[in-house]
Amino acid sequence: MFSSGPSIPELNDRAREIFRRVVEGYIADGQPVGSKSLAAGLELSSASIRSVMADLERLGLLAAPHTSAGRLPTETGLRLFVDGMMQVAEPSAAERAAIERELSSSGPVETALARTSALLSSLSACAGVVMVPAREPRLRQMSLVPLGEGRALAVLVGDDGDVENRLIELAPGTDVSALEQAGNYITSQLAGRTLAEASRAMHRELASERAQLDDAARDLVSRGLAVWSEDAARRPVLIVRGQANLLDETAVGDLERVRMLIDDIERSEQVAALLDNAREADGARIFIGSENKLFSLSGSSVIAAPYRDRDGKVVGVVGVIGPTRLNYARLVPMVDFTARSLGNSLDVRAGHSGR
Protein backbone atom coordinates (compact mmCIF):
# COMPACT_ATOMS: atom_id res chain seq x y z
CA MET A 1 0.00 0.00 0.00
CA PHE A 2 1.61 3.25 -1.12
CA SER A 3 -0.95 5.88 -0.14
CA SER A 4 -1.70 7.24 3.31
CA GLY A 5 -5.24 8.34 2.43
CA PRO A 6 -8.52 6.86 3.67
CA SER A 7 -9.17 3.15 3.45
CA ILE A 8 -12.12 1.49 1.75
CA PRO A 9 -13.89 0.62 5.05
CA GLU A 10 -13.94 4.34 5.93
CA LEU A 11 -16.23 5.02 2.95
CA ASN A 12 -19.93 4.30 3.28
CA ASP A 13 -21.71 2.22 0.65
CA ARG A 14 -22.94 5.28 -1.27
CA ALA A 15 -19.51 6.93 -1.40
CA ARG A 16 -17.82 3.63 -2.32
CA GLU A 17 -20.20 3.01 -5.24
CA ILE A 18 -19.88 6.55 -6.61
CA PHE A 19 -16.10 6.43 -6.23
CA ARG A 20 -15.95 3.08 -8.05
CA ARG A 21 -18.04 4.41 -10.94
CA VAL A 22 -15.91 7.53 -11.30
CA VAL A 23 -12.70 5.46 -11.44
CA GLU A 24 -14.11 2.94 -13.91
CA GLY A 25 -15.52 5.73 -16.10
CA TYR A 26 -12.18 7.51 -16.12
CA ILE A 27 -10.31 4.31 -16.96
CA ALA A 28 -12.73 3.65 -19.82
CA ASP A 29 -12.37 6.94 -21.68
CA GLY A 30 -9.95 9.19 -19.80
CA GLN A 31 -12.55 11.93 -19.33
CA PRO A 32 -13.96 13.60 -16.18
CA VAL A 33 -17.08 11.86 -14.91
CA GLY A 34 -20.07 14.07 -14.10
CA SER A 35 -23.04 13.58 -11.81
CA LYS A 36 -25.49 13.18 -14.70
CA SER A 37 -23.65 10.20 -16.16
CA LEU A 38 -23.45 8.64 -12.69
CA ALA A 39 -27.16 9.05 -11.98
CA ALA A 40 -28.12 6.16 -14.28
CA GLY A 41 -28.65 3.13 -12.09
CA LEU A 42 -28.35 5.09 -8.84
CA GLU A 43 -31.43 6.12 -6.88
CA LEU A 44 -29.86 9.46 -6.10
CA SER A 45 -30.35 12.96 -7.40
CA SER A 46 -27.58 14.77 -9.24
CA ALA A 47 -27.29 17.12 -6.27
CA SER A 48 -26.76 14.21 -3.86
CA ILE A 49 -24.14 12.71 -6.17
CA ARG A 50 -22.31 16.03 -6.44
CA SER A 51 -22.30 16.28 -2.64
CA VAL A 52 -20.71 12.83 -2.31
CA MET A 53 -18.18 13.66 -5.02
CA ALA A 54 -17.26 16.86 -3.14
CA ASP A 55 -16.69 14.76 0.00
CA LEU A 56 -14.46 12.37 -1.97
CA GLU A 57 -12.56 15.35 -3.32
CA ARG A 58 -11.95 16.64 0.23
CA LEU A 59 -10.60 13.20 1.11
CA GLY A 60 -8.07 13.53 -1.73
CA LEU A 61 -9.56 10.68 -3.78
CA LEU A 62 -11.07 12.76 -6.60
CA ALA A 63 -10.11 16.02 -8.29
CA ALA A 64 -11.94 18.49 -10.51
CA PRO A 65 -9.82 19.42 -13.55
CA HIS A 66 -10.16 23.02 -14.70
CA THR A 67 -13.71 24.30 -14.20
CA SER A 68 -15.35 21.03 -15.18
CA ALA A 69 -18.21 19.75 -13.06
CA GLY A 70 -16.86 16.24 -13.56
CA ARG A 71 -14.28 14.50 -11.42
CA LEU A 72 -11.18 12.40 -12.03
CA PRO A 73 -9.52 10.03 -9.57
CA THR A 74 -6.27 11.28 -8.05
CA GLU A 75 -3.21 9.06 -7.80
CA THR A 76 -4.21 8.40 -4.19
CA GLY A 77 -7.67 7.45 -5.39
CA LEU A 78 -6.29 5.12 -8.06
CA ARG A 79 -4.06 3.43 -5.48
CA LEU A 80 -7.03 2.96 -3.14
CA PHE A 81 -9.07 1.48 -5.99
CA VAL A 82 -6.29 -0.86 -7.13
CA ASP A 83 -5.50 -2.11 -3.63
CA GLY A 84 -9.01 -2.36 -2.21
CA MET A 85 -11.74 -2.46 -4.87
CA MET A 86 -10.42 -3.78 -8.15
CA GLN A 87 -11.88 -7.03 -9.44
CA VAL A 88 -9.24 -8.57 -11.68
CA ALA A 89 -10.30 -10.25 -14.91
CA GLU A 90 -8.19 -13.20 -16.02
CA PRO A 91 -6.84 -13.05 -19.58
CA SER A 92 -9.31 -14.40 -22.10
CA ALA A 93 -8.72 -17.73 -23.81
CA ALA A 94 -7.82 -15.85 -26.99
CA GLU A 95 -5.29 -13.65 -25.15
CA ARG A 96 -3.70 -16.63 -23.40
CA ALA A 97 -3.49 -18.51 -26.69
CA ALA A 98 -1.88 -15.50 -28.42
CA ILE A 99 0.73 -15.14 -25.67
CA GLU A 100 1.59 -18.85 -25.63
CA ARG A 101 1.66 -19.05 -29.44
CA GLU A 102 4.06 -16.11 -29.71
CA LEU A 103 6.38 -17.52 -27.05
CA SER A 104 6.41 -21.01 -28.54
CA SER A 105 7.92 -19.75 -31.80
CA SER A 106 11.41 -21.02 -32.51
CA GLY A 107 14.43 -18.76 -32.49
CA PRO A 108 16.98 -17.26 -30.10
CA VAL A 109 16.07 -15.97 -26.65
CA GLU A 110 16.43 -12.36 -27.74
CA THR A 111 13.78 -12.91 -30.43
CA ALA A 112 11.36 -14.37 -27.86
CA LEU A 113 11.91 -11.37 -25.59
CA ALA A 114 11.35 -8.88 -28.41
CA ARG A 115 8.18 -10.72 -29.41
CA THR A 116 6.98 -10.64 -25.80
CA SER A 117 7.45 -6.88 -25.60
CA ALA A 118 5.65 -6.33 -28.92
CA LEU A 119 2.81 -8.68 -27.96
CA LEU A 120 2.21 -6.97 -24.60
CA SER A 121 2.17 -3.63 -26.38
CA SER A 122 -0.41 -4.92 -28.87
CA LEU A 123 -2.67 -6.48 -26.24
CA SER A 124 -2.49 -3.56 -23.81
CA ALA A 125 -2.38 -0.61 -26.25
CA CYS A 126 0.55 0.64 -24.13
CA ALA A 127 4.31 0.41 -24.42
CA GLY A 128 5.52 -3.13 -23.71
CA VAL A 129 8.83 -3.56 -21.89
CA VAL A 130 11.04 -6.55 -21.18
CA MET A 131 14.24 -6.42 -19.16
CA VAL A 132 16.54 -9.01 -20.68
CA PRO A 133 18.42 -11.47 -18.46
CA ALA A 134 21.93 -10.27 -17.83
CA ARG A 135 24.32 -12.29 -19.93
CA GLU A 136 28.01 -12.23 -20.60
CA PRO A 137 28.67 -13.04 -24.26
CA ARG A 138 31.81 -14.98 -25.03
CA LEU A 139 34.15 -13.77 -27.72
CA ARG A 140 34.57 -15.55 -31.00
CA GLN A 141 36.27 -12.81 -32.98
CA MET A 142 37.18 -9.15 -32.78
CA SER A 143 38.41 -7.12 -35.71
CA LEU A 144 39.39 -3.49 -36.11
CA VAL A 145 38.41 -1.94 -39.44
CA PRO A 146 40.00 1.40 -40.44
CA LEU A 147 37.51 4.14 -41.30
CA GLY A 148 39.93 6.97 -41.96
CA GLU A 149 40.12 10.34 -40.19
CA GLY A 150 41.63 8.80 -37.05
CA ARG A 151 38.85 6.32 -36.39
CA ALA A 152 38.31 2.58 -36.60
CA LEU A 153 35.31 0.31 -36.26
CA ALA A 154 35.65 -2.39 -33.61
CA VAL A 155 33.55 -5.40 -34.65
CA LEU A 156 32.84 -7.93 -31.91
CA VAL A 157 31.41 -11.34 -32.79
CA GLY A 158 30.12 -13.49 -29.93
CA ASP A 159 29.90 -17.27 -29.71
CA ASP A 160 26.15 -16.97 -30.24
CA GLY A 161 26.69 -15.20 -33.56
CA ASP A 162 25.66 -11.74 -32.32
CA VAL A 163 27.62 -8.90 -33.93
CA GLU A 164 28.10 -5.48 -32.36
CA ASN A 165 30.08 -2.49 -33.52
CA ARG A 166 31.75 0.42 -31.74
CA LEU A 167 33.79 3.38 -32.94
CA ILE A 168 37.32 3.76 -31.53
CA GLU A 169 39.43 6.89 -31.84
CA LEU A 170 42.94 6.17 -33.14
CA ALA A 171 46.18 7.76 -32.08
CA PRO A 172 47.78 9.90 -34.81
CA GLY A 173 49.82 7.82 -37.24
CA THR A 174 48.20 4.46 -36.43
CA ASP A 175 48.54 2.25 -39.49
CA VAL A 176 46.49 -0.66 -40.79
CA SER A 177 49.03 -3.26 -39.68
CA ALA A 178 48.55 -2.27 -36.01
CA LEU A 179 44.78 -2.68 -36.37
CA GLU A 180 45.20 -6.10 -37.94
CA GLN A 181 47.73 -7.20 -35.35
CA ALA A 182 45.50 -6.11 -32.44
CA GLY A 183 42.42 -7.83 -33.88
CA ASN A 184 44.28 -11.06 -34.56
CA TYR A 185 45.78 -11.04 -31.07
CA ILE A 186 42.40 -10.65 -29.36
CA THR A 187 40.83 -13.36 -31.51
CA SER A 188 43.64 -15.89 -31.13
CA GLN A 189 44.50 -15.34 -27.48
CA LEU A 190 41.19 -14.42 -25.86
CA ALA A 191 38.48 -16.25 -27.85
CA GLY A 192 35.98 -18.22 -25.79
CA ARG A 193 36.19 -15.90 -22.79
CA THR A 194 33.69 -13.32 -21.56
CA LEU A 195 34.58 -9.66 -21.87
CA ALA A 196 35.44 -9.49 -18.17
CA GLU A 197 37.64 -12.61 -18.42
CA ALA A 198 39.25 -11.32 -21.61
CA SER A 199 40.01 -7.96 -20.03
CA ARG A 200 41.71 -9.57 -17.00
CA ALA A 201 43.73 -11.98 -19.15
CA MET A 202 44.71 -9.20 -21.52
CA HIS A 203 46.02 -7.01 -18.71
CA ARG A 204 48.06 -9.91 -17.30
CA GLU A 205 49.55 -10.62 -20.72
CA LEU A 206 50.44 -7.00 -21.39
CA ALA A 207 51.83 -6.46 -17.89
CA SER A 208 54.11 -9.51 -18.22
CA GLU A 209 55.17 -8.36 -21.70
CA ARG A 210 54.54 -11.87 -23.01
CA ALA A 211 52.30 -10.45 -25.73
CA GLN A 212 54.25 -10.10 -28.98
CA LEU A 213 52.75 -6.73 -29.91
CA ASP A 214 54.18 -3.38 -30.84
CA ASP A 215 53.21 -0.29 -28.85
CA ALA A 216 50.43 0.79 -31.21
CA ALA A 217 48.81 -2.65 -31.20
CA ARG A 218 49.11 -2.88 -27.39
CA ASP A 219 47.27 0.43 -27.04
CA LEU A 220 44.54 -0.74 -29.43
CA VAL A 221 44.04 -4.01 -27.57
CA SER A 222 43.77 -2.24 -24.24
CA ARG A 223 41.42 0.50 -25.41
CA GLY A 224 39.35 -1.80 -27.62
CA LEU A 225 38.42 -4.22 -24.85
CA ALA A 226 37.97 -1.33 -22.41
CA VAL A 227 35.30 0.17 -24.66
CA TRP A 228 33.35 -3.09 -24.76
CA SER A 229 33.74 -3.89 -21.06
CA GLU A 230 32.67 -0.43 -19.91
CA ASP A 231 29.70 -0.41 -22.27
CA ALA A 232 28.50 -3.89 -21.26
CA ALA A 233 28.79 -3.08 -17.55
CA ARG A 234 26.69 0.09 -17.63
CA ARG A 235 24.19 -0.68 -20.39
CA PRO A 236 20.77 -1.90 -19.28
CA VAL A 237 19.47 -4.52 -21.68
CA LEU A 238 15.92 -3.33 -22.22
CA ILE A 239 13.50 -4.08 -25.05
CA VAL A 240 10.71 -1.54 -25.51
CA ARG A 241 7.99 -1.81 -28.15
CA GLY A 242 4.87 0.20 -28.94
CA GLN A 243 5.69 3.73 -27.83
CA ALA A 244 3.37 4.91 -30.63
CA ASN A 245 0.44 3.38 -28.74
CA LEU A 246 0.81 6.17 -26.19
CA LEU A 247 -0.44 8.63 -28.81
CA ASP A 248 -4.09 7.57 -28.55
CA GLU A 249 -7.15 9.74 -29.10
CA THR A 250 -7.07 11.07 -25.52
CA ALA A 251 -3.48 12.26 -25.93
CA VAL A 252 -4.34 15.00 -28.42
CA GLY A 253 -5.16 17.48 -25.68
CA ASP A 254 -2.21 16.41 -23.54
CA LEU A 255 0.67 16.09 -25.98
CA GLU A 256 3.20 17.58 -23.58
CA ARG A 257 2.55 14.80 -21.05
CA VAL A 258 2.93 12.16 -23.75
CA ARG A 259 6.13 13.79 -25.01
CA MET A 260 7.58 13.68 -21.50
CA LEU A 261 6.55 10.04 -21.14
CA ILE A 262 8.23 9.03 -24.39
CA ASP A 263 11.34 10.97 -23.36
CA ASP A 264 11.31 9.13 -20.02
CA ILE A 265 11.09 5.75 -21.75
CA GLU A 266 14.15 6.62 -23.81
CA ARG A 267 16.18 6.76 -20.56
CA SER A 268 16.73 3.03 -20.64
CA GLU A 269 19.01 2.89 -17.60
CA GLN A 270 16.39 4.58 -15.41
CA VAL A 271 13.56 2.43 -16.76
CA ALA A 272 15.63 -0.67 -16.03
CA ALA A 273 16.24 0.59 -12.48
CA LEU A 274 12.50 1.06 -12.01
CA LEU A 275 11.69 -2.40 -13.34
CA ASP A 276 14.36 -3.83 -11.05
CA ASN A 277 12.12 -2.81 -8.12
CA ALA A 278 9.69 -5.51 -9.22
CA ARG A 279 12.25 -8.32 -9.16
CA GLU A 280 11.42 -9.46 -5.63
CA ALA A 281 7.63 -9.33 -6.05
CA ASP A 282 5.56 -12.52 -5.98
CA GLY A 283 3.46 -11.22 -8.88
CA ALA A 284 2.81 -7.98 -10.70
CA ARG A 285 3.67 -4.68 -9.02
CA ILE A 286 1.89 -1.44 -9.88
CA PHE A 287 3.60 1.96 -9.82
CA ILE A 288 1.13 4.84 -10.21
CA GLY A 289 2.28 8.31 -11.26
CA SER A 290 4.52 9.99 -8.71
CA GLU A 291 5.03 6.72 -6.79
CA ASN A 292 8.03 6.41 -9.09
CA LYS A 293 10.29 9.40 -9.71
CA LEU A 294 10.95 8.59 -13.36
CA PHE A 295 7.36 8.98 -14.53
CA SER A 296 6.15 11.46 -11.90
CA LEU A 297 6.04 14.44 -14.27
CA SER A 298 4.35 12.60 -17.12
CA GLY A 299 1.75 11.14 -14.75
CA SER A 300 2.18 7.58 -16.00
CA SER A 301 1.83 4.10 -14.55
CA VAL A 302 3.85 0.91 -14.78
CA ILE A 303 2.70 -2.67 -14.26
CA ALA A 304 5.65 -5.07 -13.99
CA ALA A 305 6.19 -8.69 -12.97
CA PRO A 306 9.38 -10.78 -12.64
CA TYR A 307 9.94 -13.90 -14.74
CA ARG A 308 11.96 -16.83 -13.45
CA ASP A 309 14.06 -19.70 -14.72
CA ARG A 310 13.44 -23.38 -13.96
CA ASP A 311 15.13 -23.01 -10.56
CA GLY A 312 12.84 -20.16 -9.53
CA LYS A 313 15.59 -17.57 -9.90
CA VAL A 314 14.43 -14.17 -11.16
CA VAL A 315 16.15 -13.47 -14.47
CA GLY A 316 14.24 -10.43 -15.70
CA VAL A 317 11.09 -8.32 -15.59
CA VAL A 318 8.25 -7.84 -18.06
CA GLY A 319 5.63 -5.11 -18.03
CA VAL A 320 3.68 -2.27 -19.63
CA ILE A 321 3.96 1.51 -19.39
CA GLY A 322 1.05 3.83 -20.07
CA PRO A 323 -1.17 6.59 -18.70
CA THR A 324 -2.55 6.37 -15.16
CA ARG A 325 -5.94 5.38 -16.61
CA LEU A 326 -4.62 1.91 -17.44
CA ASN A 327 -7.18 -0.88 -17.25
CA TYR A 328 -5.46 -2.33 -14.19
CA ALA A 329 -8.04 -5.09 -13.67
CA ARG A 330 -7.30 -6.48 -17.13
CA LEU A 331 -3.59 -5.76 -17.40
CA VAL A 332 -2.33 -6.96 -14.01
CA PRO A 333 -3.29 -10.62 -14.62
CA MET A 334 -2.16 -10.34 -18.26
CA VAL A 335 1.32 -9.19 -17.22
CA ASP A 336 1.42 -11.95 -14.58
CA PHE A 337 0.42 -14.61 -17.13
CA THR A 338 2.97 -13.30 -19.65
CA ALA A 339 5.74 -13.42 -17.04
CA ARG A 340 4.93 -17.04 -16.17
CA SER A 341 4.68 -18.02 -19.84
CA LEU A 342 7.94 -16.28 -20.67
CA GLY A 343 9.72 -18.13 -17.86
CA ASN A 344 8.35 -21.45 -19.14
CA SER A 345 9.42 -20.58 -22.69
CA LEU A 346 12.97 -19.77 -21.62
CA ASP A 347 13.16 -23.08 -19.73
CA VAL A 348 12.11 -24.99 -22.84
CA ARG A 349 14.70 -23.15 -24.94
CA ALA A 350 17.38 -23.84 -22.34
CA GLY A 351 16.44 -27.52 -22.33
CA HIS A 352 16.67 -27.71 -26.11
CA SER A 353 20.02 -25.96 -26.19
CA GLY A 354 21.35 -28.32 -23.52
CA ARG A 355 20.67 -31.39 -25.56
Side-chain angles (χ1 to χ4, degrees):
M1 190 83 170
F2 284 81
S3 68
S4 58
S7 63
I8 289 297
E10 293 176 47
L11 304 178
N12 61 35
D13 290 344
R14 176 187 294 184
R16 190 158 46 240
E17 179 62 16
I18 290 174
F19 173 66
R20 181 185 65 79
R21 291 186 178 217
V22 171
V23 175
E24 291 178 349
Y26 168 69
I27 286 174
D29 60 22
Q31 299 301 315
V33 179
S35 57
K36 289 183 179 179
S37 64
L38 291 172
L42 290 175
E43 296 180 0
L44 294 171
S45 67
S46 292
S48 295
I49 293 173
R50 284 195 296 272
S51 176
V52 173
M53 292 169 74
D55 290 341
L56 292 169
E57 187 174 354
R58 281 191 289 274
L59 288 171
L61 301 179
L62 299 182
H66 311 300
T67 57
S68 167
R71 299 294 194 279
L72 301 175
T74 62
E75 290 179 5
T76 299
L78 284 172
R79 172 53 64 183
L80 181 67
F81 175 80
V82 165
D83 287 346
M85 299 182 69
M86 182 174 72
Q87 299 291 318
V88 298
E90 290 301 313
S92 68
E95 289 170 340
R96 291 197 302 271
I99 293 168
E100 290 174 338
R101 182 172 58 251
E102 199 68 28
L103 291 177
S104 66
S105 302
S106 60
V109 169
E110 287 75 10
T111 300
L113 296 171
R115 285 174 174 163
T116 300
S117 183
L119 179 64
L120 266 180
S121 171
S122 174
L123 292 174
S124 67
C126 299
V129 292
V130 175
M131 193 160 68
V132 179
R135 67 185 185 92
E136 289 192 273
R138 294 187 176 274
L139 296 168
R140 178 190 299 172
Q141 179 182 353
M142 183 173 180
S143 56
L144 297 167
V145 182
L147 296 179
E149 300 181 359
R151 296 187 303 169
L153 186 68
V155 182
L156 182 72
V157 182
D159 273 352
D160 57 2
D162 279 357
V163 179
E164 293 193 36
N165 304 312
R166 291 293 183 277
L167 284 174
I168 292 182
E169 299 295 326
L170 301 178
T174 302
D175 58 28
V176 175
S177 64
L179 294 172
E180 185 176 349
Q181 187 182 15
N184 289 341
Y185 172 77
I186 293 173
T187 298
S188 64
Q189 299 295 323
L190 306 179
R193 305 184 187 193
T194 66
L195 287 169
E197 292 168 348
S199 181
R200 289 193 295 270
M202 175 268 297
H203 285 300
R204 286 196 301 269
E205 288 283 315
L206 295 182
S208 67
E209 298 188 353
R210 289 194 299 265
Q212 299 299 309
L213 299 171
D214 60 29
D215 290 342
R218 280 173 174 269
D219 179 62
L220 284 168
V221 169
S222 180
R223 288 194 295 117
L225 278 178
V227 166
W228 290 105
S229 299
E230 178 185 356
D231 182 71
R234 71 186 180 190
R235 179 183 57 189
V237 187
L238 193 72
I239 300 174
V240 182
R241 296 289 185 273
Q243 291 98 316
N245 285 337
L246 303 172
L247 293 168
D248 63 10
E249 66 278 1
T250 64
V252 175
D254 201 5
L255 290 179
E256 180 61 19
R257 181 192 66 79
V258 176
R259 184 194 64 77
M260 285 192 295
L261 173 56
I262 292 176
D263 285 347
D264 288 340
I265 292 174
E266 292 301 316
R267 300 171 188 167
S268 57
E269 290 184 29
Q270 295 181 44
V271 175
L274 171 63
L275 294 180
D276 204 50
N277 290 327
R279 288 178 62 89
E280 303 307 318
D282 292 330
R285 282 197 65 183
I286 304 170
F287 304 90
I288 300 174
S290 59
E291 290 175 357
N292 69 82
K293 293 180 180 179
L294 177 58
F295 296 124
S296 60
L297 293 179
S298 60
S300 306
S301 290
V302 178
I303 301 173
Y307 57 96
R308 295 172 163 80
D309 61 18
R310 67 179 70 190
D311 299 319
K313 179 183 176 183
V314 173
V315 291
V317 177
V318 61
V320 296
I321 302 172
T324 54
R325 67 177 191 88
L326 289 176
N327 187 339
Y328 299 96
R330 173 174 173 261
L331 295 182
V332 167
M334 181 184 294
V335 169
D336 257 337
F337 181 80
T338 303
R340 293 194 303 271
S341 299
L342 178 56
N344 293 336
S345 171
L346 296 181
D347 284 347
V348 171
R349 292 165 194 270
H352 286 170
S353 64
R355 288 200 287 268

